[in-house]
Structures are given as structure tokens and as C-alpha cells.
Amino acid sequence: MRKMSWEEFARSMGVEPQILENREARLLKKFVMDLKFPTHCQGCQGLDLSNPNPVHHPSYELTPACNHDCIFCYSNVAVKLGKAPKPGYYGWDDPYAITVSQYGEPLISPRIVEVNKMLRERFPKARLDLQTNGSLLTEELWEKLDFDLVMISLDAASREKHLMITNADTFDAVVNALRIVGRDESVRSVVRTIFMPGINDDDIPKIAELAASLGIDEMMLQPLTIHELNVERLKKAGLDFERAESVREYLKAAIEAKEHIDVRISGCQLAVYRTMDPLTLFSARRVARDVAPAMKRERED
């Protein structure tokens, strides 16, 4: 006896297959198909699903130290476990892009201007991305820097919530950093926000609206990775762990933010979501738990 497909089975029961899909599932599928990859992710190996072991863009690590102590931070976990990378360049010759940096706060380092100039001279064709919490960025420092893309982290829309998440009273300084880069048309400006349901649900559209009003080009909304050493802090802050693993909830937050700004989601996640049918996407869950981040790239002397 021939095995029927689910479409044939549906028709045998008098139901057209498309009725089995719900409207929200179709909207989510359309949303991911229409989304653009984040500017930061363009050129990254993670967008190629045929690559069995993709690695992120090369990075230049300046310091694992940071003036924030965020409740979700993987860099803090790496430091506590003795796995934070040493300062230096992690990558290869002729890269598409280089990130400064993935661990710690690069603007703490007195070498930030020197390293920026060195990378520009050594890799003239590479896109240079600065990833920062923004709290130390001033007009004077900005005039000395030369990046193509700047990602500034902001996960709350108020001083009080920002203080709770970062353990640093720097909300106004971060907003000022967004203002500085937002009015510089020579750079692609991005606000980088982590989806933390139960903690910053209501803040995400407000952050998007605030960033857009300051001239920021793009919001990069990223899913939360829950590192074991941060579990209790996240629980105390009110994280909804169930929703943090729901792809549907993550995409719904992105849809809401897109009303205010050009929102993008993590490129490697988007590449996978595009391969899913609407019902699978609607019910999909991601493994959000991890122990510590691993640096897959080799360090050059």
C-alpha cells in the first residue's frame, strides 16, 4: 500500500492542505524571506549552509575587560572560566571584514586608535566593524577612529532598566554614542539588541524608535544565548526561559521593531529559518543553552 503524503491525506479528509497552515505561520515565513541579512553578517561563512564548520569574521581582540557587567554576557563567562582570548588578531589574510572586538569593551584600551590604524593599513580592502557598548565613545575619540560599521549595544529603553541589565549607570552615555554615530553618514550605524523575553520585551520597539530618531541605520536583534554561569542572574531579572528558546517569539519581536527601523536578525539564524516551511518555523525552538563561547579562529603573532 502506497504511503500518502500529508497533503494527500488532508485532501482525503476533505481539507485543502493550505488550511492546515495558520495565518501567523505564513506571516512569519514571509517576514524571514523578505528580511535582509545584517550588514555585519555580510561576507560571513555562517551564511553558507553547505559549509560544515563555518567560522565568524576575523576579529582583533584588545581586552576582555569591560566597564559593564551585563547579566547575559558571554565575555564575562569566558573570563571566569579562563577561556577569554588574549589580545591580538584572530583570522586570516585577505578577510572580507574584521570585528574589533568580540570580547570585552575595545574602547577601554588605550591602543584602540593605534590598532584601528594598523588594521586599516594592513587590510585596506577589509570592512572594519567596531562592536562596543558605546559608553566611552566621545566626539573627540570618534574623530580619531576610522570604521566602516559601528555596532552599539543597547538592551533597555530607560536608565533604570539599563542599570539593571548592565550594572552600570551609563544609559545617557550610550544614547549619546548613538547620536554621534547616527549623524555620521560615512559609517553604517547599528544598534545591537539582545532578545530577552520577560526582561526587555516592551523595550525592544522603544529602542528601535529611539535609535531611528537618532539617525541609526539598522537594528540587529539577536537571540539570547544562556550561558550556565549567567542562569541565576537571568532568572532573578525575570527571564522567560521558555520564550527565550522560541523562534516564533523572537521573530514577533523583530516584526514589532521593524515598524520603527530597518531591523535585521542574526544572519546564520536567518539562513536556517529561510529553509523551513511555515509550520516548522512557527513551532521551531533553538538550543539557547551553552557553557562558554569558543574562539574557532587562530591567533596570529
Side-chain angles (χ1 to χ4, degrees):
M1 181 177 178
R2 186 175 70 86
K3 184 177 180 181
M4 289 191 294
S5 68
W6 73 268
E7 292 95 339
E8 290 173 323
F9 175 75
R11 290 194 176 97
S12 73
M13 300 297 290
V15 179
E16 278 301 307
Q18 61 265 30
I19 295 175
L20 296 178
E21 291 184 7
N22 63 49
R23 180 173 177 273
E24 187 177 357
R26 293 195 298 273
L27 288 174
L28 291 180
K29 177 66 175 182
K30 183 180 186 309
F31 179 68
V32 300
M33 296 308 293
D34 290 344
L35 273 183
K36 296 178 181 178
F37 288 106
T39 306
H40 172 64
C41 297
Q42 292 169 10
C44 183
Q45 295 180 19
L47 304 187
D48 180 6
L49 297 182
S50 66
N51 188 331
N53 189 34
V55 297
H56 196 270
H57 292 305
S59 70
Y60 195 100
E61 302 302 325
L62 280 162
T63 174
C66 187
N67 60 327
H68 284 182
D69 181 23
C70 297
I71 58 177
F72 59 83
C73 183
Y74 66 81
S75 187
N76 283 344
V77 171
V79 170
K80 291 174 183 176
L81 295 177
K83 295 185 177 182
K86 295 179 180 179
Y89 177 65
Y90 291 78
W92 48 87
D93 291 332
D94 196 26
Y96 183 92
I98 301 171
T99 303
V100 181
S101 56
Q102 283 189 261
Y103 291 76
E105 172 48 51
L107 300 190
I108 280 183
S109 173
R111 297 185 62 233
I112 179 61
V113 175
E114 169 198 343
V115 167
N116 186 189
K117 289 180 178 178
M118 178 272 291
L119 292 174
R120 186 63 81 192
E121 291 171 1
R122 181 178 172 187
F123 304 103
K125 296 180 181 179
R127 190 189 72 223
L128 297 185
D129 298 355
L130 174 65
Q131 181 169 290
T132 173
N133 65 36
S135 63
L136 301 174
L137 186 64
T138 62
E139 292 277 8
E140 181 182 6
L141 177 57
W142 181 243
E143 290 177 1
K144 299 176 183 177
L145 297 176
D146 177 21
F147 285 93
D148 302 296
L149 180 146
V150 177
M151 295 175 286
I152 296 177
S153 298
L154 183 62
D155 301 295
S158 68
R159 178 183 177 187
E160 294 74 21
K161 180 73 70 69
H162 177 78
L163 176 59
M164 185 272 287
I165 291 173
T166 66
N167 288 286
D169 190 9
T170 57
F171 179 75
D172 291 342
V174 176
V175 171
N176 187 55
L178 290 170
R179 183 179 294 108
I180 290 171
V181 300
R183 60 179 175 230
D184 188 338
E185 296 182 0
S186 70
V187 68
R188 180 71 175 176
S189 54
V190 181
V191 62
R192 180 174 173 267
T193 303
I194 308 296
F195 172 61
M196 294 181 282
I199 297 175
N200 70 348
D201 307 63
D202 295 337
D203 293 74
I204 290 173
K206 295 176 183 176
I207 295 169
E209 186 174 16
L210 171 63
S213 74
L214 297 172
I216 298 300
D217 299 309
E218 179 183 325
M219 169 182 266
M220 185 175 178
L221 185 64
Q222 295 191 266
L224 173 68
T225 297
I226 304 166
H227 296 282
E228 287 302 318
L229 294 185
N230 293 332
V231 167
E232 290 305 316
R233 301 177 77 189
L234 289 166
K235 186 182 298 182
K236 184 177 180 181
L239 180 70
D240 185 329
F241 287 81
E242 183 74 12
R243 290 176 58 218
E245 296 185 339
S246 168
V247 172
R248 178 172 71 252
E249 294 294 331
Y250 172 49
L251 293 176
K252 284 167 62 178
I255 289 172
E256 192 172 1
K258 197 168 180 64
E259 295 181 10
H260 306 285
I261 197 170
D262 178 6
V263 73
R264 317 274 180 104
I265 65 172
S266 296
C268 50
Q269 299 285 329
L270 178 57
V272 173
Y273 297 161
R274 284 181 171 178
T275 68
M276 297 179 177
D277 63 78
L279 285 177
T280 301
L281 183 65
F282 181 79
S283 58
R285 305 193 68 76
R286 55 181 294 274
V287 178
R289 301 287 185 127
D290 200 357
V291 178
M295 179 71 81
K296 293 184 179 181
R297 304 174 299 282
E298 295 298 321
R299 177 174 175 267
E300 284 193 9
D301 293 332

